[in-house]
Amino acid sequence: MEHVGIFASIYGSRGVAELLKMFSSHNYSPTFYIVAKQNNPMLRRLVKVTGGVLRVDRSLKLSTHIDLLEKYHGEIDLAICPHEKIVIAGLRDAIEERGWNIPCTFPRKIFAIERSKILQRRLFPEDYNPRWKAFHPSKYSSRGELLEDVKRWVEMLGGAGNVVFKPDSPAAGKGVAVGGEHFHTLNELIEGYISSFNQPFIIEERVEAEESSCQIWFDGSIGHLNFLRYPEIRDYKRAFEGDLGPNTGGMGCYMDSKPILPFMFEEDWSSGYELASKLIRNMQSWAEENDLNPEGMYPCMYYLAMAHPHRVFEGNIGRPGDPEDIPPLLTMKNDLIDFYFGLVEGNPPNLNFEEKASVLIYVVPPTYGGRMSGKFNIKLNFEGLWILDQNNPVYLPGDIELSDGAVYVKTSRSVAVVGLGESIEDARRLALRGVELVEDSAEPKGYLWHRGDIASKEHIEKSVDHRRRLA
């Protein structure tokens, strides 16, 4: 097998899934050079068996990445970054400015539009946007003037229950507040989210819709989008069952054995291509207007949170979703390293996937999603973390830490447990079995938890009925 050096910036289970998929290559023998937020035991294993290097930086500073690349760039053939922070910080810019011959699967920072919700809305095609307005607190002469403008806009949209508040800057999916759920009156919106908030933000019309995650790779050719798309994913953002509680980074997701989800119409699937094509053209025009080199746009992943029918909640240009990246990776027939090399060369192969359903459920610590408060010292004693077998649950360690020979749970999502099956129900049954094993392995027991209705028959039926009513 051909030896290759892979540089990766890793944060959580999504990055672990990417590396494990590449490690399973039948065509390449990878060595991994990793900067990671956690001293993740799976990453330690991967660098040990591949002769690689792991640097742990809990802040994921750009300088840490540059230091590692400075030492090893001559041995590295490809750079990946499955999370947004270091893409926005300008990792690709730094690599290209230094003349290092390392192709990247993510864009230059100017094209990472996840950095700004306002820029996203300006670049999305207007027919996919709800009514929205950007607010820049520093441009108002007084706080009172800002709040009066907010009041007028909220009233124009029908009141506090019909709006959504979004900070302009990224908040890992957790900064959004929805009217009628997180606040109920104009005063609650102002006091809870705006009165002491000094950064730009959006207030947009709340859209009644069914959500899915559309993920499409872009290699520079819009004509290639039709064979570079992942199967559609349904993500669960809210912390608690029944879609209640605060937004999180994602409590889990599911994918069907065919490309579309049970509640989707064919037009919903087609709208993903239309939205991606229009957005790419808008970005190309924006690049030309601002004298930007459009080659910095690609290759990259277009991750689009679709709101069916015919709207978009948000878009992350540059990296796949978490957890939405994981089910397609586990069912992908392609050699991932082969695919990435084709992608950066502008000649990627067609993506092909096994006809398997997938359900992913995150096991999380007690404080995640605001379920409990306090400090906890929880140890995981679970050998299953090292088992990769599609007939059993797949375990992908996330925000856990190897310390003095033991594995400890940190503050974010601990372990992604994935079940694969002929149907969503089969996959869910397998995932729940794995979740129980992980939670039972904790010391002390009874604190790790999960959202119990992910991919449940009742939740899917509710989505199907809701989408039909919206038709």
Side-chain angles (χ1 to χ4, degrees):
M1 291 195 292
E2 182 181 350
H3 174 264
V4 292
I6 306 290
F7 177 85
S9 180
I10 301 297
Y11 176 18
S13 301
R14 167 182 47 187
V16 171
E18 291 267 346
L19 296 185
L20 286 172
K21 182 67 175 178
M22 287 191 278
F23 182 66
S24 68
S25 171
H26 295 294
N27 301 321
Y28 298 93
S29 174
T31 296
F32 295 121
Y33 302 85
I34 302 169
V35 176
K37 186 178 177 68
Q38 303 94 351
N39 187 25
N40 187 304
M42 182 64 84
L43 300 182
R44 282 287 172 202
R45 282 196 170 204
L46 285 171
V47 297
K48 182 177 181 180
V49 299
T50 67
V53 178
L54 173 62
R55 297 268 178 90
V56 177
D57 177 2
R58 287 165 181 80
S59 299
L60 287 173
K61 296 184 294 293
L62 180 61
S63 59
T64 306
H65 295 71
I66 298 305
D67 288 346
L68 186 63
L69 284 162
E70 187 81 56
K71 186 171 183 180
Y72 295 103
H73 65 88
E75 302 172 33
I76 295 170
D77 302 288
L78 181 72
I80 70 164
C81 184
H83 67 91
E84 69 277 9
K85 181 175 181 178
I86 209 65
V87 178
I88 294 170
L91 179 59
R92 176 167 162 183
D93 305 61
I95 288 172
E96 293 179 354
E97 287 162 7
R98 285 162 175 77
W100 296 332
N101 185 27
I102 303 174
C104 302
T105 63
F106 49 91
R108 293 180 69 95
K109 65 180 180 181
I110 192 65
F111 294 106
I113 66 171
E114 186 173 2
R115 61 192 162 84
S116 169
K117 292 285 194 301
I118 295 171
L119 181 60
Q120 286 179 30
R121 284 294 177 209
R122 288 174 178 162
L123 290 172
F124 286 147
E126 271 307 307
D127 57 330
Y128 278 88
N129 276 333
R131 290 183 290 173
W132 67 281
K133 183 174 180 177
F135 294 85
H136 299 265
S138 64
K139 293 184 178 180
Y140 290 85
S141 60
S142 68
R143 204 70 186 175
E145 183 186 7
L146 166 65
L147 297 183
E148 279 300 313
D149 197 15
V150 167
K151 180 180 178 181
R152 283 192 296 270
W153 179 244
V154 171
E155 289 175 348
M156 185 180 297
L157 294 181
N162 293 323
V163 304
V164 178
F165 168 86
K166 294 182 177 181
D168 181 48
S169 297
K174 299 184 279 281
V176 174
V178 179
E181 298 178 26
H182 302 119
F183 57 86
H184 297 84
T185 66
L186 179 62
N187 187 59
E188 287 179 2
L189 167 62
I190 290 172
E191 292 300 317
Y193 298 94
I194 296 173
S195 61
S196 60
F197 193 76
N198 297 314
Q199 302 303 313
F201 60 90
I202 282 177
I203 295 178
E204 66 185 37
E205 182 178 23
R206 180 177 178 176
V207 175
E208 186 180 1
E210 280 298 322
E211 181 177 356
S212 71
S213 299
C214 170
Q215 300 177 102
I216 305 181
W217 284 103
F218 177 54
D219 68 340
S221 171
I222 291 177
H224 290 176
L225 295 179
N226 65 330
F227 62 81
L228 297 179
R229 184 173 181 177
Y230 286 178
E232 208 80 354
I233 305 290
R234 174 57 180 262
D235 181 30
Y236 287 72
K237 285 290 184 193
R238 298 301 181 84
F240 307 129
E241 294 179 19
D243 295 318
L244 300 175
N247 281 326
T248 69
M251 298 296 292
C253 64
Y254 69 86
M255 179 182 83
D256 207 348
S257 57
K258 52 188 177 182
I260 69 172
L261 294 166
F263 59 82
M264 289 175 64
F265 296 176
E266 283 296 333
E267 67 195 56
D268 298 334
W269 174 257
S270 301
S271 68
Y273 290 117
E274 180 184 70
L275 173 59
S277 300
K278 287 183 174 182
L279 175 56
I280 289 168
R281 290 190 177 97
N282 287 351
M283 290 188 68
Q284 289 170 333
S285 298
W286 175 70
E288 185 176 350
E289 291 165 6
N290 291 276
D291 198 27
L292 303 172
N293 182 354
E295 291 184 1
M297 285 175 57
Y298 56 85
C300 72
M301 166 70 80
Y302 276 67
Y303 163 79
L304 304 167
M306 305 291 294
H308 306 296
H310 204 79
R311 288 289 185 270
V312 60
F313 284 129
E314 64 178 10
N316 303 328
I317 312 307
R319 53 86 176 174
D322 183 356
E324 297 96 326
D325 183 36
I326 297 172
L329 283 177
L330 295 180
T331 58
M332 185 186 292
K333 293 181 179 180
N334 303 72
D335 183 300
L336 187 59
I337 298 177
D338 254 340
F339 173 74
Y340 280 157
F341 279 139
L343 186 74
V344 299
E345 292 164 3
N347 187 32
N350 291 20
L351 283 173
N352 291 293
F353 300 89
E354 297 178 54
E355 293 183 358
K356 286 194 173 184
S358 176
V359 173
L360 182 154
I361 302 173
Y362 264 116
V363 175
V364 300
T367 55
Y368 193 73
R371 186 169 184 258
M372 297 178 69
S373 60
K375 292 187 177 180
F376 299 85
N377 187 34
I378 301 172
K379 186 162 66 171
L380 268 185
N381 301 304
F382 186 55
E383 288 300 316
L385 287 176
W386 322 120
I387 298 171
L388 286 177
D389 177 0
Q390 288 194 0
N391 296 315
N392 289 293
V394 176
Y395 305 96
L396 299 166
D399 194 21
I400 62 177
E401 188 87 7
L402 181 64
S403 178
D404 296 326
V407 176
Y408 294 91
V409 169
K410 305 298 284 184
T411 58
S412 192
R413 295 170 292 181
S414 307
V415 181
V417 183
V418 190
L420 301 171
E422 299 303 313
S423 67
I424 294 173
E425 189 174 344
D426 290 342
R428 171 178 157 81
R429 191 179 303 113
L430 197 58
L432 286 171
R433 191 179 85 198
V435 164
E436 183 179 357
L437 291 172
V438 173
E439 292 178 0
D440 283 348
S441 77
E443 294 181 12
K445 290 181 171 58
Y447 289 99
L448 296 184
W449 66 285
H450 67 281
R451 181 170 160 175
D453 64 348
I454 291 169
S456 70
K457 182 179 179 181
E458 296 76 16
H459 195 281
I460 293 173
E461 287 177 349
K462 184 179 176 181
S463 294
V464 171
D465 291 342
H466 186 222
R467 179 63 185 93
R468 285 174 179 165
R469 291 198 306 271
L470 295 172

